[in-house]
Amino acid sequence: MKIIHTGDWHIGKIVNEFSMIPDQGFILREFLKVIKEENPDAIVIAGDLYDRSIPPIEAVELLNDVFTKILNEYKIPILAIGGNHDGGERISFGNKLFKNNGLYIEGVLKKDISKVSLKDQFGNVNFYLIPYADPSLVRHIYEDSDIKTHEDGMRKIIENIKSDMNLNERNIAVAHGYVTYVKEKDNNISEEANEDYKTLRAGMEISDSERPLSIGGTDLINGDIFKDFTYTALGHLHGPQKVGSDRIRYSGSLLKYSFSETHQKKSITIINIDKNGELDVKIKPMISLRDMRIIKGNLEEIIKPEVYNLENKDDYIYAILTDEGEIIDPISKLRSVYPNVMGLSREYINARESSRTSASNGYKNRTKLELFKEFYNSITGKELDNKKEEVMTKIIEEVEKEEI
């Protein structure tokens, strides 16, 4: 059986006051082309179809158009769950009626998890649709006061599923949350070869656009809970990645939704499952209408044609300006070339905010020039050159003469 695993569409999302619906419309049309080309047996969407519980009408219309095409024209069933951004009750509306047309969607957690069985030439493939739910809701549904964390809740849900699960058949879990094999630890930053940075938490790559599910590590779920499933299709993390092995995967989002994702290669996951439950995994890249990039340099340099013509100037841009002096209306100058600038910062301001001068340590034993050098370095991130040092020396000398 061939399955396309995707998730975290976040239709209706606004990033830095820019509506992403035009980009989402484009990428979902590209997604439809992939479906037609691959002709899978099922589409799995692992939560966060919308970006908020009450989506705008344009988002609802876009999702409706995509689903209608898949179900009515391609005749391919869709299996979807609600994520932490979705309004569970809203996306579950009419789900009993939709099943007749091949749309299986679960937005609200129930004690008995929905099981959808699809058949191929080798028998049943059973999909268990587990919508996102806070631990308090899981505790209430299962009447178990010991459920305190997301892991407690998911363990209880899976135990309930396994009480009636046929381990001789191929079984797939669809869930939304933070699944890892690594215990919680402080975020650590690792430098990539292309000088981008990614943030790791508990061994998994995370992004700024992912809404925290809880604090203090109570959102982490041990991947071992899903060990009896042939495949576990996950949503929530926006970077495509596996958890331990290809049997537990995040498909990632179709688009970049924050500048922490600039290095990510967006894709969908295509899974072929043979009669023995062995997996063949293919990652299909998805090319968006506009990329999301960080540019850095002197303002006058980065708005030169020989620079901006190297890339798509309609990309979403965050600019880091390295100019030392005063800049008049930099955002207007940038947008005259890059119309979709989402933000900008000054490198020396970043340096000032991220570093702290040590001048206060033993300042009485330092000369005024030494103190100024340290101050200059903390503000600009650069060393004072000889010419500027000469100018500053003269200024200090003049001030000291006046003090006498």
Side-chain angles (χ1 to χ4, degrees):
M1 180 172 286
K2 181 190 283 189
I3 299 160
I4 288 183
H5 167 203
T6 180
D8 293 280
W9 289 2
H10 290 277
I11 303 178
K13 190 172 185 65
I14 296 174
V15 180
N16 291 56
E17 300 183 4
F18 284 74
S19 170
M20 301 302 290
I21 285 182
D23 301 79
Q24 292 167 334
F26 176 88
I27 202 68
L28 287 171
R29 288 189 291 273
E30 294 297 301
F31 179 60
L32 290 173
K33 292 178 185 178
V34 174
I35 294 174
K36 189 173 183 179
E37 175 188 329
E38 294 288 340
N39 190 30
D41 298 294
I43 308 292
V44 171
I45 308 173
D48 284 350
L49 287 85
Y50 295 121
D51 189 58
R52 51 188 185 272
S53 58
I54 305 178
I57 185 65
E58 298 88 351
V60 177
E61 290 173 348
L62 177 56
L63 185 65
N64 180 61
D65 291 344
V66 172
F67 276 12
T68 299
K69 187 91 170 177
I70 295 171
L71 296 169
N72 291 352
E73 186 174 330
Y74 299 160
K75 306 296 183 183
I76 298 172
I78 299 171
L79 303 101
I81 61 169
N84 59 299
H85 281 254
D86 295 308
E89 293 81 4
R90 288 179 175 82
I91 67 169
S92 290
F93 175 78
N95 60 352
K96 293 181 180 179
L97 294 173
F98 299 150
K99 289 178 182 178
N100 295 328
N101 290 322
L103 175 58
Y104 305 90
I105 187 165
E106 294 293 335
V108 179
L109 182 69
K110 301 178 295 187
K111 186 171 185 179
D112 294 322
I113 296 298
S114 292
K115 171 186 170 183
V116 179
S117 296
L118 302 181
K119 288 188 176 182
D120 62 8
Q121 64 269 38
F122 306 119
N124 283 341
V125 178
N126 305 308
F127 297 79
Y128 293 90
L129 307 183
I130 310 169
Y132 172 80
D134 285 325
S136 58
L137 178 60
V138 185
R139 182 167 61 246
H140 172 73
I141 290 173
Y142 288 95
E143 300 178 337
D144 187 342
S145 60
D146 291 332
I147 295 174
K148 300 291 196 314
T149 67
H150 285 266
E151 181 173 315
D152 296 337
M154 187 60 72
R155 192 178 300 279
K156 187 72 175 183
I157 291 168
I158 299 304
E159 286 175 358
N160 194 53
I161 289 174
K162 287 167 64 175
S163 66
D164 192 39
M165 188 168 79
N166 186 346
L167 296 177
N168 294 317
E169 295 181 335
R170 293 160 293 170
N171 298 293
I172 295 175
V174 184
H176 191 93
Y178 200 108
V179 179
T180 178
Y181 279 104
V182 181
K183 292 182 179 180
E184 176 69 300
K185 59 182 178 181
D186 293 336
N187 286 359
N188 50 82
I189 308 297
S190 62
E191 188 170 356
E192 297 294 282
N194 61 1
E195 297 185 354
D196 284 326
Y197 292 83
K198 65 179 181 179
T199 303
L200 303 178
R201 179 189 172 213
M204 302 298 291
E205 182 181 349
I206 62 173
S207 306
D208 293 342
S209 54
E210 297 153 3
R211 182 184 298 170
L213 302 178
S214 65
I215 59 175
T218 61
D219 56 343
L220 299 184
I221 298 170
N222 191 325
D224 196 53
I225 291 174
F226 300 96
K227 65 181 180 181
D228 291 319
F229 290 91
T230 307
Y231 182 69
T232 298
L234 295 173
H236 184 55
L237 300 187
H238 290 184
Q241 55 199 299
K242 60 185 178 181
V243 183
S245 74
D246 278 328
R247 291 194 174 275
I248 307 175
R249 288 198 66 95
Y250 286 95
S251 65
S253 58
L254 293 177
L255 291 173
K256 298 175 183 180
Y257 289 129
S258 72
F259 287 98
S260 65
E261 300 172 44
T262 54
H263 64 282
Q264 292 180 1
K265 308 298 182 184
K266 298 301 183 179
S267 60
I268 58 173
T269 306
I270 302 172
I271 307 292
N272 275 287
I273 306 176
D274 70 12
K275 63 179 180 180
N276 298 316
E278 295 300 318
L279 305 179
D280 176 59
V281 178
K282 181 170 75 171
I283 306 301
K284 179 77 172 180
M286 299 296 292
I287 307 301
S288 58
L289 178 64
R290 285 174 281 259
D291 199 1
M292 187 172 279
R293 298 188 286 119
I294 298 174
I295 60 175
K296 180 178 177 180
N298 179 278
L299 177 60
E300 296 305 321
E301 290 295 322
I302 62 179
I303 61 176
K304 287 181 177 179
E306 56 265 34
V307 174
Y308 66 70
N309 283 331
L310 294 174
E311 302 277 357
N312 180 7
K313 61 183 180 181
D314 289 327
D315 287 343
Y316 293 115
I317 298 294
Y318 186 89
I320 302 174
L321 303 182
T322 59
D323 304 73
E324 290 188 22
E326 185 76 17
I327 306 177
I328 299 173
D329 198 12
I331 193 70
S332 295
K333 291 181 180 179
L334 284 166
R335 283 189 173 149
S336 69
V337 175
Y338 305 100
N340 297 312
V341 172
M342 284 186 166
L344 68 86
S345 64
R346 301 286 298 275
E347 187 176 51
Y348 77 87
I349 293 175
N350 290 342
R352 180 178 62 192
E353 291 177 347
S354 62
S355 64
R356 180 182 298 176
T357 178
S358 60
S360 59
N361 296 324
Y363 73 93
K364 292 182 180 180
N365 298 320
R366 300 180 186 220
T367 67
K368 291 183 176 67
L369 183 59
E370 289 173 335
L371 291 171
F372 181 80
K373 282 182 177 180
E374 190 165 7
F375 171 75
Y376 181 86
N377 177 258
S378 72
I379 294 296
T380 66
K382 300 177 181 179
E383 299 297 329
L384 196 67
D385 59 37
N386 292 335
K387 186 176 181 180
K388 290 176 182 175
E389 183 175 337
E390 289 177 5
V391 172
M392 198 63 212
T393 299
K394 290 179 180 180
I395 293 173
I396 292 171
E397 288 175 351
E398 290 176 3
V399 171
E400 288 180 337
K401 286 178 181 178
E402 290 179 2
E403 288 178 350
I404 297 173

